[in-house]
């Protein structure tokens, strides 16, 4: 039976969507997300430095301060297109796989999802916008509070976090007995949405979309909110804080992740030719000028 996800996305079983036969031939998969130290490689050193700063400075207090600042949505007003074009100038300093402007990555992600699932227009749009929260970098936010993998603050850091053993040593939450235990400030299995995530582009764009009343389906919002939470969706950490429902969410996030990660390659899409299609989707799900 064919389910029309556009009308009833919540009815869809994500496990039926994961199609292992889909191939990602652009690059050997084992070559993505390689964070091993390689002295002398400036790209790799930059990644490591960004994470070191992130893991030192992302504390409960810091994240609460960022919420105070950004969740007033009074920084600027812009359409999705204008925000996307801003990303043309941004190179993500946490990413070992990509040294291209972010707008290229946005279209690569969207187009790969479109190729596999032409019927799910909301998924194409999710691919296009998923990194838009990185516009914070143009408003004084340092890259370590914008890009990179995320993790919950206020409890022990997961074992699978990149550079876990070396880069949290100077984070003050590590000495705070309220936060430095397995559960920290959380109740067991409290659920994903109760976690205070390290501040970055995932949480910010999720909040922007909710604030501006986007009609994207819930799955799309969850994919955006947790796509960088690698220690959870790919590392196997934090199951003591999540619920059974979060496992469903994880499957959606993993589906999305295939397009986010495995399309990072050097093929450049023709942006001008693609705009009319994506503008139609923007008008459908996130029209007009948004408050950021
Ligand atoms: Fe991202
Ligand atoms: Fe991305």
């Amino acid at each position: 039976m064919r389910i029309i996800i556009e009308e009833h996305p919540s009815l869809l079983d994500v496990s039926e969507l994961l199609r292992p036969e889909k191939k990602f031939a652009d690059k050997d998969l084992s070559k993505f997300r390689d964070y091993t130290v390689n002295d002398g490689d400036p790209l790799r050193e930059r990644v490591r430095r960004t994470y070191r700063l992130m893991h030192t400075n992302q504390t409960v207090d810091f994240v609460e301060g960022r919420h105070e600042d950004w969740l007033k949505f009074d920084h600027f007003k812009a359409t999705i297109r204008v925000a996307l074009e801003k990303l043309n100038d941004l190179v993500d300093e946490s990413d070992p796989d990509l040294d291209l402007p972010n707008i290229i990555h946005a279209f690569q992600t969207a187009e790969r999802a479109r190729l596999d699932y032409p019927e799910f227009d909301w998924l194409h749009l999710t691919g296009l916008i998923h990194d838009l929260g990185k516009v914070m970098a143009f408003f004084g936010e340092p890259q370590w509070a914008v890009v990179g993998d995320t993790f919950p603050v206020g409890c022990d850091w997961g074992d699978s976090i990149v550079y876990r053993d070396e880069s949290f040593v100077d984070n003050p939450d590590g000495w705070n007995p309220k936060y430095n235990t397995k559960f920290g400030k959380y109740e067991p299995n409290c659920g994903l949405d109760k976690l205070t995530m390290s501040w970055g582009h995932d949480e910010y764009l999720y909040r922007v979309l909710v604030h501006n009343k986007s009609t994207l389906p819930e799955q799309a919002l969850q994919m955006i909110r947790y796509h960088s939470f690698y220690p959870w969706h790919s590392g196997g950490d934090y199951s003591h804080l999540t619920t059974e429902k979060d496992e469903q969410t994880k499957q959606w996030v993993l589906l999305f992740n295939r397009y986010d990660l495995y399309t990072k390659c050097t093929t450049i899409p023709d942006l001008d030719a693609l705009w009319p299609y994506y503008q139609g989707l923007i008008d459908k799900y996130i029209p007009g000028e948004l408050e950021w």
Side-chain angles (χ1 to χ4, degrees), residues 55-56 151 157 161-171:
H55 293 167
T56 301
F151 55 91
W157 303 297
I161 296 176
V162 295
Y163 306 114
R164 165 69 178 83
D165 292 334
E166 64 175 65
S167 77
F168 283 100
V169 288
D170 293 323
N171 184 313

Side-chain angles (χ1 to χ4, degrees), residues 78-139:
T79 62
I80 290 289
R81 178 167 184 163
V82 167
L84 261 168
E85 284 172 344
K86 249 190 172 321
L87 282 195
N88 227 347
D89 300 328
L90 184 76
V91 173
D92 182 332
E93 293 179 4
S94 74
D95 192 338
D97 298 316
L98 193 72
D99 210 359
L100 281 172
N102 221 269
I103 193 170
I104 304 291
H105 166 60
F107 275 94
Q108 286 173 334
T109 307
E111 282 292 288
R112 198 58 178 80
R114 185 180 174 192
L115 193 66
D116 279 4
Y117 301 104
E119 66 274 41
F120 304 154
D121 66 353
W122 58 270
L123 184 64
H124 317 159
L125 183 59
T126 303
L128 187 76
I129 66 168
H130 74 281
D131 279 337
L132 264 189
K134 292 181 183 176
V135 293
M136 286 191 294
F138 298 108
F139 293 85

Side-chain angles (χ1 to χ4, degrees), residues 139-158:
F139 293 85
E141 205 64 63
Q143 286 241 348
W144 55 262
V146 174
V147 299
D149 296 358
T150 58
F151 55 91
V153 295
C155 64
D156 261 355
W157 303 297

Side-chain angles (χ1 to χ4, degrees), residues 261-277:
L261 179 60
Y262 299 146
T263 54
K264 289 178 181 173
C265 61
T266 49
T267 310
I268 310 292
D270 181 349
L271 271 49
D272 288 337
L274 292 171
W275 259 118
Y277 173 70

